[in-house]
Amino acid sequence: QVQLVESGGGLVQAGGSLRLSCAASGSITSIGGMNWYRQAPGKQRELVARITSGGSTNYADSVKGRFTISRDNAKNTEYLQMNSLKPEDTAVYYCNADVWVGVQLKNFWGQGIQVTVSS
């Protein structure tokens, strides 16, 4: 099958930056859309950013101008550059991707990675 593994999370002060990575591996034919979600304590999981296979991007209003999503198709990896971080960005961040496994399109999730922004 397919595994998505996030890295790059941690603790940062408000105003700081972090870069998340999500590497996909396994029985991958190709990858379609890739996304980042986050879930703060007591809140529902929300979409933060998405990028299509062609590189088009969309962002949640709360992160526009501060976060940048990108991907390296050769490495089957997506990234989330997070700048000007705020305490309200504290959450578990999950990568998500639509992956072609042979002729089947399947959706996969990473295990999540903690991002904590201190004030």
Side-chain angles (χ1 to χ4, degrees), residues 88-104:
E88 51 264 44
D89 294 317
T90 295
V92 177
Y93 284 71
Y94 298 89
C95 66
N96 172 266
D98 291 322
V99 179
W100 287 98
V101 180
V103 297
Q104 291 185 310

Side-chain angles (χ1 to χ4, degrees), residues 19-87:
R19 188 193 195 207
L20 303 182
S21 300
C22 173
S25 62
S27 303
I28 298 169
T29 301
S30 65
I31 301 179
M34 303 184 81
N35 312 297
W36 286 99
Y37 285 78
R38 68 185 180 186
Q39 187 166 18
K43 294 189 177 182
Q44 288 189 330
R45 191 172 297 189
E46 63 173 351
L47 178 65
V48 175
R50 66 182 1 150
I51 184 166
T52 68
S53 57
S56 297
T57 59
N58 292 97
Y59 298 91
D61 287 344
S62 59
V63 307
K64 280 181 181 176
R66 300 188 298 122
F67 291 10
T68 302
I69 189 171
S70 61
R71 61 191 288 170
D72 184 333
N73 291 329
K75 296 181 178 179
N76 289 334
T77 299
E78 67 166 334
Y79 305 95
L80 186 68
Q81 177 66 43
M82 305 185 293
N83 298 329
S84 302
L85 282 161
K86 304 175 181 180

